[in-house]
Amino acid sequence: MVLPIVALGHPILKQVATEIDQSYTNYRELIDNMYETMYKDDGVGLAAPQINLSIRLFVIDADPFKDTYPEAEGFKKVFINPTIIEEAGKEWFFNEGCLSVPDIHEDVLRKERVLLRYYDEDFNKKEEWFEGVCARVIQHEYDHLEGKVFTDRVGAMTRLLLKKKLEKIRTGDINMPYKMIFCKKSR
Ligand code: NI
């Protein structure tokens, strides 16, 4: 089932999400639905808060980046209750976008490697380093679980230039590329 995407401005995107365990209702079906939604909307990652659930879960399939970034080939993974233990390496710019912030792409600076502790879809505990564009997508999705979006990480000047466009997304004054949930302020 394809789920609607929460748009920037909705309070759930500002919340720190909570951990789940194996008793979480229909989590496997939820993961299937998140993948289906992500593929339909041409995303490479989707975090649960973006489908209006404040839980620590995201899915990634970075394969579309494989031509430019070989490490992305076949990189399809589910991350449950992730914690970033460490980030390392040089900071580099990557042009990020987000299904919750349609039609906006901006260069964001992040470190090139990330050490993550998480559970896979069978609730096996893992601790692994990821690098390059795989680390990048993880860092972006992880931000969603911490109540952040990528536009919080751009420079002050870029943020100023984006202000009007972001306000249009917040108020639902956009052509929806897919079904979205807005939090319109009462006027
Ligand atoms: Ni995003």
Side-chain angles (χ1 to χ4, degrees):
M1 186 172 56
V2 174
L3 306 164
I5 301 285
V6 171
L8 182 76
H10 194 291
I12 201 159
L13 295 180
K14 294 242 176 200
Q15 280 176 33
V16 176
T18 54
E19 295 196 339
I20 61 167
D21 59 31
Q22 288 177 76
S23 68
Y24 191 84
T25 316
N26 296 335
Y27 76 89
R28 286 183 188 277
E29 193 185 334
L30 174 64
I31 289 165
D32 288 346
N33 289 339
M34 285 175 70
Y35 269 123
E36 196 182 336
T37 304
M38 185 188 85
Y39 289 133
K40 168 111 192 322
D41 301 343
D42 292 325
V44 292
L46 184 66
Q50 296 182 274
I51 49 135
N52 213 8
L53 288 174
S54 193
I55 57 172
R56 299 186 78 80
L57 163 66
F58 57 77
V59 301
I60 287 176
D61 188 342
D63 195 67
F65 289 131
K66 69 180 172 208
D67 290 344
T68 317
Y69 303 97
E71 69 273 19
E73 187 169 0
F75 188 73
K76 179 181 174 179
K77 264 178 187 292
V78 176
F79 296 87
I80 298 173
N81 299 339
T83 306
I84 289 182
I85 310 289
E86 196 182 332
E87 289 176 291
K90 270 193 218 143
E91 290 196 318
W92 64 298
F93 278 112
F94 183 78
N95 198 253
E96 296 189 21
C98 180
L99 294 177
S100 295
V101 194
D103 295 329
I104 307 255
H105 292 88
E106 291 296 338
D107 288 343
V108 179
L109 203 55
R110 301 185 195 262
K111 289 195 172 171
E112 64 189 353
R113 293 190 291 129
V114 63
L115 176 60
L116 200 73
R117 185 182 299 146
Y118 67 99
Y119 293 83
D120 67 12
E121 67 271 37
D122 298 314
F123 275 87
N124 298 307
K125 195 175 187 177
K126 310 247 176 167
E127 196 170 308
E128 268 177 88
W129 280 99
F130 298 95
E131 56 183 47
V133 85
C134 301
R136 173 61 61 140
V137 182
I138 287 169
Q139 289 159 323
H140 175 113
E141 299 311 325
Y142 187 85
D143 266 359
H144 282 299
L145 308 188
E146 297 295 309
K148 289 193 196 113
V149 292
F150 79 101
T151 47
D152 298 332
R153 292 190 178 272
V154 300
M157 184 56 80
T158 306
R159 200 172 314 161
L160 200 64
L161 292 168
L162 281 178
K163 206 177 165 195
K164 273 189 186 160
K165 279 188 185 171
L166 295 182
E167 196 52 32
K168 284 191 173 218
I169 296 172
R170 285 194 190 95
T171 55
D173 183 18
I174 55 164
N175 292 320
M176 266 191 280
Y178 29 77
K179 201 172 177 219
M180 298 190 84
I181 302 169
F182 296 92
C183 182
K184 291 186 187 174
K185 290 183 191 111
S186 52
R187 300 166 196 228

